Amino acid sequence: MKLSQFKFKLPEELVALHPTYHRDECRLMVIHKASQKIQMYKEDVKGEPLKDKDGNPVFLDFRNILDYFDEGDTFIFNDTKVFPARLYGTKEKTDAKIEVFLLRELNKEMRLWDVLVEPARKIRIGNKLFFDSNGTMVAEVIDNTTSRGRTLRFLYDCSHEEFKSDLYALGEAPLPRYIVDHRKATKQDLEDFQCIFAKNEGAVTAPSAGLHFSRELLKRLEIKGIDFAFITLHCALGNFHDIEVEDLTKHKMDSEQMLINGEACKVVNNAKLSGHHICAIGTSVLKATETAVGTDKLLKEYEGWTNKFIFPPYDFGISDSLIANFYHPMSPLVMAATAFGGYDLIMEAYDMAITNGYRFGCYGDAMLIIND
């Protein structure tokens, strides 16, 4: 497929800058693949939309996912944990304000980090950056990696645990640029931009579909008999980079680190062999499980990296349902969603979402794609 096939006009006011008050109360759109039905409203036993006291149809909300799954079905969650990756420092001598975005730690003993800097033109090898008022957190630029990429060595004499704690205390939630260009990140975002089941640190952006799950909703799913499997894929920034080729077969995704253990495989494969539904919570789960699926269509243990790029057409081997957010035009995320639900049907759903004021982005509304 071509990049231009995923271009659509997204009104700026539909990009969610804040989450809903409660995690699980965003709108939910349900896409029925087999029947080609797009469902926005709660329905009565006859399939007619329920109405509020003013006669308006009542939109589905995220808690209604309970209605589409039964005992023995399995949800696969990404339990990666976001760290406060965005810091602001000043350049020595000039005091120019510099944004430093931490990507990953390269060497614990030497305090080496792979980072992005902005504005990059001001930052050269040998420069020192200061991150606090008393000058204790200092980093030296020791390498240029890409046009915006740098390797920093933090000059901080203490234990690694204390260093990480002090470094993270200076950071903020790594909200996407489409949010921070309109508002500053707050301390509340450190909680909001983190899944409640997050466990394994390493992500610089949240697996957004998982943000909708509250502890109360997870408990209700558990009571209903839904099984949970947890895999780890450390979400990186590749999904936010512009795709620069029209022919999608020529695009190369950035690699992301992932881990699928034996317990997750056991839960997923038992459900699959028993004929139950497998629901991927987010496109990051799709990417991870499709990296680790075997020729027998069962999930295999995996530890390493993946640069899998999913776009239509694609034959999925593990999941038969997907929970996703509404994503930005021409992003790899919307391409993965259309690969799963079918290009024409998902693009029709996007048109309906825009017409009906659904919210887009990591803090936005959700869609459930099921195969019925």
Side-chain angles (χ1 to χ4, degrees):
M1 296 196 77
K2 305 298 184 182
L3 175 65
S4 55
Q5 292 177 264
F6 297 91
K7 185 177 182 179
F8 56 90
K9 183 175 178 54
L10 176 61
E12 187 174 310
E13 63 271 16
L14 294 186
V15 177
L17 301 183
H18 300 273
T20 53
Y21 185 76
H22 294 109
R23 287 178 178 266
D24 55 13
E25 65 182 12
C26 73
R27 284 192 198 177
L28 177 70
M29 182 184 288
V30 180
I31 315 299
H32 302 261
K33 288 174 61 176
S35 63
Q36 298 284 288
K37 176 184 176 182
I38 299 174
Q39 183 184 359
M40 294 192 297
Y41 305 117
K42 297 181 181 180
E43 298 176 350
D44 60 21
V45 293
K46 296 181 180 180
E48 297 295 326
L50 295 175
K51 303 293 182 64
D52 61 19
K53 61 181 181 180
D54 298 318
N56 299 312
V58 180
F59 283 98
L60 290 164
D61 65 57
F62 193 74
R63 290 162 289 200
N64 290 119
I65 62 169
L66 281 160
D67 302 330
Y68 297 90
F69 296 94
D70 296 310
E71 182 178 356
D73 293 340
T74 294
F75 282 18
I76 310 177
F77 295 97
N78 183 1
D79 66 4
T80 187
K81 187 175 183 180
V82 179
F83 62 91
R86 183 175 281 115
L87 292 80
Y88 295 95
T90 56
K91 183 182 175 184
E92 64 175 339
K93 298 179 181 179
T94 66
D95 286 335
K97 187 175 182 181
I98 305 296
E99 177 185 305
V100 173
F101 195 98
L102 304 173
L103 296 176
R104 63 189 180 99
E105 191 172 34
L106 300 174
N107 186 293
K108 291 182 178 181
E109 290 72 26
M110 297 181 66
R111 310 281 196 265
L112 296 183
W113 279 78
D114 185 18
V115 307
L116 299 176
V117 295
E118 188 70 37
R121 68 182 185 278
K122 296 184 178 181
I123 305 302
R124 297 180 174 87
I125 294 175
N127 288 157
K128 285 188 173 65
L129 303 176
F130 296 84
F131 293 94
D132 54 7
S133 57
N134 57 16
T136 57
M137 185 66 73
V138 184
E140 180 182 9
V141 181
I142 65 170
D143 196 13
N144 293 337
T145 54
T146 63
S147 60
R148 294 177 56 219
R150 303 290 186 271
T151 300
L152 297 187
R153 178 173 61 216
F154 285 89
L155 311 175
Y156 205 71
D157 188 18
C158 63
S159 69
H160 181 260
E161 291 72 21
E162 184 180 348
F163 162 69
K164 287 281 287 288
S165 176
D166 291 347
L167 180 66
Y168 286 0
L170 296 170
E172 64 181 31
L175 299 178
R177 180 60 61 184
Y178 60 77
I179 293 181
V180 296
D181 282 348
H182 292 85
R183 72 166 178 90
K184 293 182 178 180
T186 67
K187 288 185 178 180
Q188 183 61 40
D189 286 308
L190 289 171
E191 179 179 338
D192 292 338
F193 201 57
Q194 190 81 269
C195 297
I196 61 171
F197 44 79
K199 179 181 179 182
N200 297 312
E201 181 184 285
V204 295
T205 188
S208 57
L211 296 177
H212 301 298
F213 287 85
S214 65
R215 287 178 175 81
E216 294 76 14
L217 180 56
L218 287 177
K219 177 56 68 174
R220 293 175 66 190
L221 288 165
E222 184 180 343
I223 291 171
K224 192 168 183 179
I226 309 300
D227 292 321
F228 303 154
F230 295 91
I231 61 94
T232 303
L233 184 138
H234 294 315
C235 303
L237 297 181
N239 288 317
F240 299 104
H241 294 163
D242 291 337
I243 295 177
E244 298 178 346
V245 292
E246 175 68 1
D247 182 355
L248 295 181
T249 63
K250 297 179 179 180
H251 177 65
K252 302 300 181 184
M253 288 290 292
D254 292 349
S255 293
E256 294 168 301
Q257 193 172 14
M258 58 171 280
L259 171 67
I260 297 178
N261 60 28
E263 178 60 27
C265 293
K266 180 180 178 181
V267 172
V268 171
N269 293 336
N270 284 346
K272 193 172 184 68
L273 292 170
S274 301
H276 294 290
H277 295 297
I278 309 294
C279 184
I281 310 304
T283 57
S284 67
V285 170
L286 281 185
K287 182 185 296 187
T289 54
E290 290 304 309
T291 297
V293 65
T295 55
D296 56 1
K297 300 291 186 177
L298 296 178
L299 190 61
K300 310 299 182 182
E301 294 184 51
Y302 188 99
E303 183 174 4
W305 296 76
T306 180
N307 64 349
K308 181 170 284 292
F309 177 34
I310 297 175
F311 60 93
Y314 188 92
D315 181 22
F316 290 89
I318 295 293
S319 302
D320 62 6
S321 50
L322 168 70
I323 293 175
N325 278 28
F326 289 92
Y327 304 116
H328 282 65
M330 298 189 293
S331 72
L333 301 170
V334 72
M335 295 169 189
T338 57
F340 194 87
Y343 174 82
D344 291 335
L345 185 60
I346 298 303
M347 296 309 290
E348 180 185 353
Y350 268 63
D351 287 341
M352 293 174 64
I354 292 171
T355 300
N356 288 275
Y358 281 71
R359 306 187 325 146
F360 281 64
C362 62
Y363 277 158
D365 294 320
M367 68 162 54
L368 167 63
I369 305 173
I370 53 178
N371 194 26
D372 68 354

